[in-house]
Amino acid sequence: MPSDVTPDSMDHPLVFGQRLQVLRTRRGMSRTVLAGLLGKSPSWVKQVENGTLHTPGLSMILRVAEVLRVRNLGELTGDQTMPVDLFIGPGHAKLPAVRDAIDAFLFDIDREAPSAAHLSARLASAWSARHSAPNHREVIGGLLPGLIQDAQLAVRQADRAPERRAAQAVLAEVYGLSQFFLAYQPDSALLWRAAERGMVAAQESEDPHAIGVAAWLTAQAHRDSGPGHFDAADAVTLKTLRYLTPLLPDASDDVRAIAGALQFEAGYTAARRGDTGTAWNRWDTARKMAKRLPADYYHPATSFSRAVMGAHAVTVAVELHAGGESVRQAAKADAKTIPSRPRRARHRIEEARGYQLDGQPEAALATLDKAYEAAPETIRYNGYARRIILEETESKSPTHRRRAAELAVKIGVLAA
């Protein structure tokens, strides 16, 4: 999700090392942690920061930007002539309408709100449309304003406590869907507003599934804000698991799936920390929970299912910077079993990260081509894909440069 770094102290000229130190400090990241994530020594980071070593090459700059979740390369290099956004995608044309719906006050609307059952059916259709669409933001961006307004209206008009709780549950999950649209767009404050409102609505609903989905999304928002927020991500994940666990013996498939998804999220955060044992243990727990779900089950919000566990294994290996293991897990995972086009594209991007870690840039680019075929909007908004493609545009291989440049034009990183 979008970075919250806003380096306002960088309006005056600073050299690369100084900018690196400011951004690293704002992320709450030590030199030792940054060095480990970059495959360098702490002394290397120190020498870059104090200017003993010169500015590194583009490939390392891109890796630093990825680790620190820098908004664009200009913030890191000081070169405002190359404002390449990595972890903020292009603002979608439907973003203003979604923003207006989230921020609206409905006191002047006198029509009758749809029932919670009607809204639930519309929400299910919206999820289905998202999973089947290559340009999923375009699809759900058109559906969200009406869904948000009607769900808000249903909560406002509910007279009895059961009706109000049911409406709050739907509203929470509508806010959840909106976060898939808002992620990586240039309005991180709006994303957090949706996440916080979703969590409040879920708690008001007292619905375990709504609470689980809201917690899952909130944990992701914390984790993607950088290492300084990993503890907050874990707190949300683990507290929600403690709440859900006693309910699981008699729970629906959806509740059991969200508990499994939260188990994996705990593993994902552990992998980001470099905690190999915890990461794989959490993945294995989640895998066992997935095996207890029906073979054809697929959770609409989290994608949790038997089909996605192979993709999750690739993600764990990649986040642990284990290139060989990433490739081995990718060979075992079957992307074709993932029914969601955007989730399948996301898996392909993770595979590409694994191939690049393993020193196979040609395979990485070929896999990113597959991601583009599955869902162009997913790769267009994904910072990891952007980093790989930009890095390979500087490759010594003419074939790699040409292929990377073609992809860069497709996703809008370079002009045609």
Side-chain angles (χ1 to χ4, degrees):
M1 291 188 179
S3 166
D4 59 359
V5 174
T6 53
D8 52 354
S9 64
M10 298 189 185
D11 291 340
H12 57 285
L14 296 177
V15 298
F16 176 85
Q18 292 171 313
R19 289 174 175 272
L20 172 60
Q21 185 173 13
V22 169
L23 290 164
R24 175 181 62 76
T25 303
R26 287 186 178 183
R27 281 299 188 202
M29 188 183 292
S30 69
R31 284 177 177 150
T32 301
V33 170
L34 177 60
L37 293 171
L38 295 175
K40 294 289 187 178
S41 67
S43 63
W44 180 88
V45 176
K46 182 177 181 179
Q47 289 178 75
V48 172
E49 290 184 348
N50 65 26
T52 303
L53 292 178
H54 293 302
T55 301
L58 177 62
S59 63
M60 182 55 67
I61 291 174
L62 289 166
R63 290 176 188 273
V64 170
E66 175 186 320
V67 169
L68 294 179
R69 282 297 200 280
V70 173
R71 283 184 185 273
N72 66 65
L73 295 187
E75 293 176 7
L76 187 57
T77 65
D79 182 0
Q80 299 306 316
T81 65
M82 67 174 196
V84 178
D85 290 329
L86 286 180
F87 288 89
I88 300 290
H92 197 279
K94 290 184 167 61
L95 177 60
V98 174
R99 181 191 296 117
D100 288 347
I102 290 173
D103 291 343
F105 289 90
L106 305 181
F107 297 110
D108 58 345
I109 296 180
D110 57 5
R111 64 179 173 81
E112 184 177 354
S115 67
H118 174 82
L119 288 169
S120 293
R122 283 169 59 187
L123 180 61
S125 294
W127 278 118
S128 178
R130 177 187 181 270
H131 289 307
S132 62
N135 295 315
H136 44 95
R137 279 183 173 83
E138 180 70 21
V139 172
I140 64 171
L143 298 172
L144 275 170
L147 261 174
I148 293 167
Q149 186 178 86
D150 285 351
Q152 290 173 335
L153 198 61
V155 170
R156 180 169 170 256
Q157 292 182 1
D159 293 326
R160 297 185 302 116
E163 292 173 354
R164 187 173 183 83
R165 286 195 295 269
Q168 290 279 24
V170 176
L171 178 60
E173 295 191 38
V174 169
Y175 279 133
L177 177 62
S178 73
Q179 288 172 69
F180 282 82
F181 174 81
L182 297 171
Y184 308 113
Q185 293 213 50
D187 195 339
S188 55
L190 183 62
L191 174 68
W192 272 106
R193 203 145 65 243
E196 289 165 355
R197 291 183 185 182
M199 182 62 85
V200 170
Q203 290 172 334
E204 291 290 328
S205 77
E206 302 179 10
D207 180 275
H209 181 254
I211 291 169
V213 172
W216 181 80
L217 287 161
T218 301
Q220 289 194 346
H222 281 301
R223 186 182 61 238
D224 287 347
S225 294
H229 300 263
F230 287 174
D231 286 348
D234 275 340
V236 172
T237 302
L238 299 179
K239 286 180 182 178
T240 308
L241 278 171
R242 284 196 292 272
Y243 160 70
L244 291 175
T245 299
L247 308 177
L248 295 183
D250 301 314
S252 66
D253 287 341
D254 284 347
V255 172
R256 289 189 290 137
I258 194 61
L262 286 163
Q263 283 285 356
F264 173 70
E265 286 306 307
Y268 194 159
T269 304
R272 283 272 180 93
R273 277 197 172 98
D275 184 348
T276 301
T278 300
W280 284 115
N281 284 338
R282 290 284 185 179
W283 174 84
D284 192 53
T285 299
R287 179 185 62 84
K288 291 173 181 174
M289 295 174 77
K291 288 180 71 174
R292 291 195 287 269
L293 294 167
D296 60 350
Y297 177 86
Y298 195 81
H299 189 267
T302 67
S303 295
F304 192 77
S305 58
R306 296 187 191 185
V308 86
M309 291 313 301
H312 281 337
V314 175
T315 295
V316 169
V318 167
E319 293 295 344
L320 290 169
H321 301 275
E325 182 63 22
S326 302
V327 172
R328 283 191 291 274
Q329 293 295 342
K332 292 193 293 183
D334 185 358
K336 294 177 182 177
T337 64
I338 301 174
S340 167
R341 293 184 70 144
R343 185 63 186 85
R344 194 158 63 245
R346 161 76 189 283
H347 170 55
R348 293 298 193 190
I349 293 167
E350 298 291 274
E351 284 186 321
R353 293 175 68 195
Y355 284 125
Q356 197 190 46
L357 280 170
D358 198 47
Q360 300 185 51
E362 186 174 359
L365 290 173
T367 307
L368 289 177
D369 272 324
K370 294 179 181 178
Y372 186 85
E373 290 170 9
E377 282 193 346
T378 296
I379 187 171
R380 194 170 290 134
Y381 284 80
N382 188 281
Y384 299 116
R386 287 164 170 253
R387 192 265 295 165
I388 293 170
I389 292 167
L390 284 171
E391 191 169 328
E392 290 306 316
T393 61
E394 298 287 317
S395 171
K396 294 179 181 179
S397 164
T399 302
H400 293 175
R401 287 201 306 272
R402 183 173 59 255
R403 192 165 195 174
E406 290 171 355
L407 261 173
V409 170
K410 284 181 181 179
I411 70 172
V413 173
L414 297 179

